[in-house]
Amino acid sequence: MACQRGEGEDGRPQVKKFDGFDLPTVGPISSYRLRHFEHARYWHPSNKAFVKVYAQLGLHRYNFLEGTNYRFSLLQSYNRGMTSGAARYYLSLFADCPDSGRTLPFHALVSENRIGRLDISVHIARPRCSEEQPRLCRPTYTCSPLPRWPSSEMFAQRRFYTLNEHELRNTDWVRLYLDLAHSTCDRGMTESQLSDFYIEQVAIRSLSDADPPSLDSKSLVVYMVYKDLAKDRLGEPCYRKAIIRRVYEESSRSLTFQGKHWSFSEEKEKKKKKKDKKRFALLKKRLGVCGAWRLGIDVYRKRGIRSSSTTR
């Protein structure tokens, strides 16, 4: 936590704490290694989609841990680390309380562990008047590989829970997690592009073997099958999959999210490449390296001739 010097009510010099959320009143912002963005003045259009998702995720962390039901209203501003890679985002936002109808200011701290993929941690989410301090500690599981997509037989097992239609349409964080997976991987995505994804099936698995999977599980893996409506309108392959892992760290009270997404056509292409590698490995054993390469070149030539003839 940084400090800044100012004057107290008695006119004497006073040191004020600055934890990254509120702007310092003395000295340049650059001395705190942060850049400030406001909705009205310095908002960068390409940042809007994913930073807004970060703010919604911070509020989700507060509701998740405190058992509240605040609704995201507005992202007011944020301070971002000056690095060009993974950075911390100190977000100032507003949320509505459905019980009282009041709108309250909130703070949220979201840290990117890696850039260009879903790998982030939410360390702080609090009402602006709260004194919760960040307990930053990099989780040991951050770089652990994501699980593979289960088979249909595995989904039928008791350690998986498939959401029914009511749960799928009324669990806000399901949609939020999908938006998070896409906006972190492609920062140029707009809100309208994110709205083109239609979720069809969701299954969850608890990371704790002692607890059965449920929507209340603190650490879990989410498996999604969804549709890209924009590609569907063009008549292109439109079905996609996503895996998002949420891990709760008890010592720091932080939530860490990791995930990836891919299309069915990409999955088929990967399977095809694996088969080709296996075939080539068998050919190497039977014919030797030179013989396998010659045979492979002949096959690719024939494929090229066929594809060119079909295009004509």
Side-chain angles (χ1 to χ4, degrees):
M1 180 179 293
C3 294
Q4 57 173 329
R5 295 193 175 273
E7 291 186 358
E9 295 180 359
D10 56 358
R12 294 180 181 180
Q14 188 179 36
V15 176
K16 297 179 181 180
K17 290 183 179 180
F18 167 59
D19 59 3
F21 292 101
D22 299 312
L23 282 173
T25 56
V26 179
I29 304 172
S30 59
S31 63
Y32 298 96
R33 305 298 299 166
L34 292 172
R35 293 177 62 194
H36 179 68
F37 296 86
E38 280 189 47
H39 186 277
R41 297 178 61 193
Y42 306 114
W43 199 268
H44 198 283
S46 64
N47 284 346
K48 190 172 183 180
F50 82 90
V51 179
K52 182 179 177 182
V53 172
Y54 284 180
Q56 292 172 321
L57 194 68
L59 188 63
H60 164 64
R61 184 259 193 188
Y62 183 83
N63 287 332
F64 177 74
L65 295 181
E66 304 300 331
T68 53
N69 191 30
Y70 285 98
R71 302 288 181 179
F72 177 81
S73 175
L74 174 69
L75 173 59
Q76 182 188 27
S77 63
Y78 68 93
N79 299 328
R80 180 193 184 278
M82 298 185 76
T83 175
S84 58
R88 289 177 182 169
Y89 287 78
Y90 298 84
L91 304 134
S92 298
L93 58 133
F94 288 96
D96 298 328
C97 178
D99 297 328
S100 64
R102 295 173 57 199
T103 300
L104 297 177
F106 273 79
H107 281 156
L109 171 58
V110 176
S111 298
E112 295 171 333
N113 301 317
R114 287 182 288 177
I115 197 74
R117 63 186 67 188
L118 174 50
D119 189 354
I120 64 173
S121 299
V122 187
H123 299 288
I124 284 182
R126 68 191 186 197
R128 203 170 296 183
C129 57
S130 174
E131 295 296 327
E132 180 190 6
Q133 300 301 329
R135 289 176 278 181
L136 303 180
C137 56
R138 190 175 179 83
T140 55
Y141 49 78
T142 301
C143 295
S144 59
L146 288 166
R148 294 182 178 180
W149 188 268
S151 63
S152 55
E153 293 79 10
M154 291 177 68
F155 274 126
Q157 296 176 4
R158 292 183 63 184
R159 61 196 184 106
F160 288 90
Y161 175 72
T162 302
L163 275 64
N164 57 44
E165 187 67 22
H166 177 77
E167 291 171 330
L168 186 60
R169 302 305 165 201
N170 291 278
T171 306
D172 294 340
W173 57 260
V174 172
R175 179 74 213 190
L176 177 61
Y177 288 7
L178 182 61
D179 290 346
L180 181 68
H182 275 277
S183 60
T184 50
C185 296
D186 185 1
R187 301 202 175 209
M189 292 202 79
T190 62
E191 291 184 58
S192 60
Q193 287 175 318
L194 292 175
S195 65
D196 277 330
F197 299 125
Y198 180 78
I199 302 173
E200 294 201 345
Q201 277 186 316
V202 173
I204 60 176
R205 176 175 65 86
S206 175
L207 292 178
S208 173
D209 295 331
D211 301 326
S214 71
L215 294 174
D216 297 325
S217 300
K218 287 190 174 180
S219 296
L220 51 78
V221 181
V222 185
Y223 303 89
M224 297 188 189
V225 175
Y226 59 103
K227 200 173 184 180
D228 187 340
L229 298 179
K231 289 191 175 183
D232 186 45
R233 288 192 289 266
L234 297 174
E236 299 178 6
C238 60
Y239 280 97
R240 303 185 63 87
K241 293 179 180 179
I243 295 177
I244 298 100
R245 178 171 57 198
R246 178 183 77 198
V247 179
Y248 174 64
E249 180 78 5
E250 189 73 39
S251 59
S252 62
R253 299 187 80 237
S254 64
L255 290 177
T256 295
F257 297 87
Q258 294 172 300
K260 62 180 181 179
H261 60 85
W262 67 96
S263 65
F264 280 34
S265 57
E266 291 171 348
E267 192 173 36
K268 288 180 181 178
E269 189 64 29
K270 284 182 180 179
K271 288 181 180 178
K272 187 179 179 182
K273 286 182 180 179
K274 283 183 179 179
K275 285 183 180 178
D276 289 342
K277 283 184 179 180
K278 287 181 179 178
R279 287 173 183 171
F280 187 74
L282 289 171
L283 288 171
K284 276 171 54 175
K285 286 183 179 179
R286 293 176 183 175
L287 305 175
V289 178
C290 295
W293 274 111
R294 285 171 187 167
L295 185 61
I297 290 169
D298 291 339
V299 170
Y300 281 116
R301 279 177 180 171
K302 288 178 181 179
R303 284 182 183 176
I305 292 168
R306 286 174 187 171
S307 61
S308 60
S309 62
T310 54
T311 53
R312 288 174 187 174

